[in-house]
């Protein structure tokens, strides 16, 4: 063991859930929330787009402290790496290097090395892991090359204390939870257009499955203008303490009218239990998934960054949560490896 480090392979998903729940915040929302979604039978149709379940759940511990996780949920779902926020700023470069080196050595004992293709997570740790993986594969006779990043973004969160007062613009927008069959029909073309800019574009069938399950679970919000659905927000990756804004989409003809900002402000206040909500379209009582301590997101577009900052997300480089002192965001990267041709 290096620096008292050890790798734990969780062969039972519930054991992994039990191990990570004490670290439940925005730093683990993608990893923890994605796994909970994958375990949720009510999301079986939308999860099917990622192929058969193919779970690999690893954690690097130093003593009793979980320092890094490396997980995979399904055949066509990327590997995910996470560092609990309580250790994000205290891990030395040496410990990170040793931890990812141990992961790289341990992974072939758990899975076929060819299954390691793409990883998303904190930029520095993912880059270090990719380098260690390429080196280790070379040591066992497999020649790989690290690929340029597919995507860079920032992961951030908002809390009730970081929010600004309700916006008058939100109160004058027709914002509500989607709940009717005709809402599903109206949303399908928007979901298809939104997904066309991502790695896995939706067909009409997959969009219908995804939106139907999300509407049934009260996870989709609409903004109507003159009885037309102008935009929507979908939330997901719900954990005991967090929920993520996954999709924000406004039809081109309704952009630059404050629709996205009004929806984000409304939805954020609703899930954080920040009263007054500032809009009238929310159902009575708390969210079906429970009131959360943090609402999370992953953002790359600079215009969207400015919007989210206006809505209370801690996206400034030096922003910190006023109650905990935690950093408000971190750089995320999605990159991978491929075999060198002919070897």
């Amino acid at each position: 063991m290096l620096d008292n480090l050890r790798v734990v392979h969780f062969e039972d998903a519930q054991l992994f859930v039990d191990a990570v729940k004490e670290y439940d915040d925005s730093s683990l929302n993608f990893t923890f929330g994605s796994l909970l979604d994958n375990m949720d039978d009510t999301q079986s149709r939308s999860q099917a787009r990622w192929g058969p379940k193919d779970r690999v759940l690893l954690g690097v511990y130093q003593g009793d402290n979980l320092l890094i996780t490396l997980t995979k949920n399904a055949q066509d779902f990327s590997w995910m790496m996470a560092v609990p926020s309580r250790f994000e700023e205290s891990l030395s470069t040496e410990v990170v290097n040793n931890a990812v080196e141990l992961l790289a050595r341990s992974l072939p004992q758990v899975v076929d090395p060819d299954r390691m293709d793409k990883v998303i997570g904190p930029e520095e740790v993912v880059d270090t892991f990719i380098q260690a993986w390429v080196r280790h594969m070379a040591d066992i006779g497999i020649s790989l090359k690290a690929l340029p990043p597919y995507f860079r973004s920032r992961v951030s969160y908002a809390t009730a204390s970081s929010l600004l007062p309700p916006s008058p613009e939100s109160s004058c927008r027709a914002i509500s939870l989607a709940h009717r069959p005709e809402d599903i029909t109206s949303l399908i073309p928007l979901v298809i257009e939104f997904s066309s800019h991502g790695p896995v574009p939706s067909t009409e069938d997959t969009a219908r499955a995804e939106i139907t399950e999300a509407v049934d679970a009260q996870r989709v919000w609409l903004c109507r203008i003159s009885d037309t659905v102008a935009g929507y927000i979908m939330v997901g990756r719900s954990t005991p303490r967090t929920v993520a804004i996954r999709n924000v989409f406004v039809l081109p003809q309704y952009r630059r009218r404050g629709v996205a900002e009004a929806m984000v402000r409304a939805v954020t206040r609703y899930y954080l239990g920040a009263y007054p909500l500032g809009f009238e379209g929310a159902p009575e009582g708390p969210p079906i998934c429970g009131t959360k301590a943090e609402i999370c997101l992953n953002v790359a577009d600079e215009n969207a960054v400015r919007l989210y900052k206006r809505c209370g997300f801690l996206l400034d480089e030096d922003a910190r949560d006023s109650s905990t002192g935690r950093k408000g965001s971190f750089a995320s990267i999605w990159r991978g490896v491929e075999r060198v041709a002919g070897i």
Side-chain angles (χ1 to χ4, degrees):
M1 291 188 294
L2 302 171
D3 298 320
N4 195 29
L5 298 173
R6 57 192 172 92
V7 173
V8 176
H9 176 207
F10 296 89
E11 299 190 55
D12 182 280
Q14 188 58 51
L15 291 177
F16 182 83
V17 169
D18 293 340
V20 303
K21 62 186 179 184
E22 69 173 285
Y23 304 97
D24 181 17
D25 62 27
S26 59
S27 64
L28 275 171
N29 175 266
F30 194 77
T31 290
F32 190 17
S34 294
L35 175 61
L36 292 177
D37 284 353
N38 187 253
M39 295 170 66
D40 183 356
D41 290 339
T42 69
Q43 299 188 48
S44 59
R45 285 178 292 177
S46 55
Q47 288 291 313
R49 69 186 300 193
W50 303 112
K53 286 182 170 57
D54 186 25
R55 292 188 190 130
V56 184
L57 307 169
L58 302 172
V60 181
Y61 281 81
Q62 186 175 50
D64 294 329
N65 295 322
L66 178 63
L67 301 187
I68 298 175
T69 63
L70 179 65
T71 62
K72 185 176 178 65
N73 295 334
Q75 178 178 290
D76 300 324
F77 203 89
S78 181
W79 290 82
M80 296 165 286
M81 187 165 270
V83 177
S85 63
R86 70 179 66 171
F87 304 119
E88 181 184 5
E89 296 184 88
S90 61
L91 288 182
S92 68
T93 300
E94 181 181 13
V95 170
V96 170
N97 289 343
N98 287 342
V100 297
E101 183 70 31
L102 190 57
L103 266 177
R105 291 187 205 170
S106 303
L107 192 59
Q109 302 170 31
V110 178
V111 300
D112 182 334
D114 284 336
R115 290 170 61 190
M116 169 50 66
D117 50 2
K118 304 178 184 70
V119 190
I120 188 169
E123 183 169 358
E124 181 179 350
V125 181
V126 168
D127 281 343
T128 304
F129 172 77
I130 291 289
Q131 294 164 15
W133 181 246
V134 170
R135 286 197 309 272
H136 182 64
M137 289 296 97
D139 290 343
I140 62 175
I142 298 174
S143 185
L144 301 175
K145 65 177 180 180
L147 299 175
Y150 307 110
F151 187 73
R152 280 191 167 95
S153 62
R154 291 201 73 79
V155 175
S156 186
Y157 64 97
T159 67
S161 62
S162 73
L163 300 182
L164 300 175
S167 166
E169 290 188 359
S170 297
S171 63
C172 66
R173 301 286 187 186
I175 299 169
S176 63
L177 271 172
H179 64 282
R180 303 175 302 178
E182 52 264 41
D183 292 338
I184 294 172
T185 301
S186 297
L187 282 163
I188 289 172
L190 279 72
V191 172
I192 292 172
E193 186 169 347
F194 176 86
S195 71
S196 69
H197 303 287
V200 186
S202 294
T203 64
E204 183 170 347
D205 287 342
T206 58
R208 183 179 296 277
E210 180 179 12
I211 208 67
T212 298
E213 286 182 346
V215 168
D216 288 347
Q218 298 186 13
R219 293 190 284 111
V220 185
W221 293 79
L222 307 174
C223 181
R224 290 184 175 85
I225 295 178
S226 300
D227 295 326
T228 297
V229 175
Y232 79 98
I233 284 183
M234 184 187 296
V235 300
R237 301 200 303 269
S238 177
T239 73
R241 297 187 70 255
T242 73
V243 68
I245 293 177
R246 289 183 50 212
N247 302 5
V248 179
F249 181 78
V250 177
L251 287 169
Q253 61 267 37
Y254 294 107
R255 291 173 187 169
R256 303 187 185 279
R257 299 191 193 181
V259 172
E261 183 168 343
M263 290 194 299
V264 171
R265 285 179 179 270
V267 168
T268 298
R269 297 189 73 82
Y270 175 71
Y271 286 101
L272 293 176
Y275 295 93
L277 295 178
F279 71 107
E280 298 180 354
E284 293 185 7
I288 193 171
C289 64
T291 300
K292 305 301 183 182
E294 298 176 12
I295 187 162
C296 316
L297 53 77
N298 191 313
V299 59
D301 180 79
E302 191 57 38
N303 290 326
V305 167
R306 289 192 287 270
L307 181 156
Y308 291 127
K309 285 166 65 174
R310 293 195 299 270
C311 295
F313 285 85
L314 300 168
L315 277 158
D316 282 326
E317 287 285 345
D318 58 350
R320 291 185 179 269
D321 178 36
S322 61
S323 59
T324 65
R326 277 176 50 215
K327 286 181 64 176
S329 65
F330 63 86
S332 176
I333 198 169
W334 185 34
R335 64 180 308 196
V337 298
E338 68 178 16
R339 284 213 184 206
V340 176
I343 299 179

